[in-house]
Amino acid sequence: MRAIRFAFFVILAVVLVLVAAANRDMITVSLLPPAVAPFAGGQWSLTMPAFVALFLAMVFGVLVGLIWEWLRESHLRAESNRRAQHLADLQREMGHLRQTQAAAPRDEVLAILDNAGKTPASGSTLPAPR
């Protein structure tokens, strides 16, 4: 598995280097339309190699996708937390019931039946356990 992961990263690095080498031309990226730029206090633009703009766009897309999914799945995380809390409450209640049941006085018939499963006493008329 480690070799497959290493091979994947090597291939990815080679592809990214080839894309960067093929797109070294300088481009200007404007953040605002030219008609709106004077109202914003100047020209908001950056000059950079094309591969940098491409990689920044990919990183921006991944971040937007991560945030979108995190927000979309928030109700699932909330439901999971509610169920985990409910399970913890039930386990706590079961522990409490087991403690009170073990400490409660036992019925004589139930005590005899519980002891019947153990090795019979000598002279017992009960059949041997199977």
Side-chain angles (χ1 to χ4, degrees):
M1 189 64 167
R2 187 177 223 167
I4 294 172
R5 187 181 309 149
F6 180 73
F8 173 75
F9 283 126
V10 167
I11 292 170
L12 181 65
V14 168
V15 168
L16 291 177
V17 168
L18 289 175
V19 168
N23 294 294
R24 292 178 297 175
D25 298 335
M26 298 299 277
I27 62 170
T28 301
V29 177
S30 296
L31 301 177
L32 294 175
V36 178
F39 299 113
Q43 182 106 5
W44 288 35
S45 63
L46 297 169
T47 302
M48 65 183 83
F51 73 90
V52 172
L54 179 66
F55 292 161
L56 287 176
M58 284 191 283
V59 168
F60 179 73
V62 168
L63 289 176
V64 167
L66 286 172
I67 292 170
W68 184 271
E69 283 300 307
W70 183 78
L71 291 173
R72 189 182 68 83
E73 294 172 350
S74 64
H75 71 282
L76 295 175
R77 287 191 306 277
E79 179 67 21
S80 176
N81 288 337
R82 278 193 296 275
R83 287 184 181 199
Q85 183 63 38
H86 184 65
L87 179 62
D89 292 342
L90 290 175
Q91 287 175 340
R92 194 174 319 115
E93 184 178 341
M94 281 298 296
H96 178 69
L97 287 174
R98 284 183 182 148
Q99 287 176 351
T100 58
Q101 189 177 24
R106 297 186 55 158
D107 187 18
E108 292 176 14
V109 174
L110 292 176
I112 293 171
L113 289 175
D114 284 342
N115 290 334
K118 299 176 183 169
T119 57
S122 61
S124 173
T125 59
L126 294 174
R130 295 180 191 182

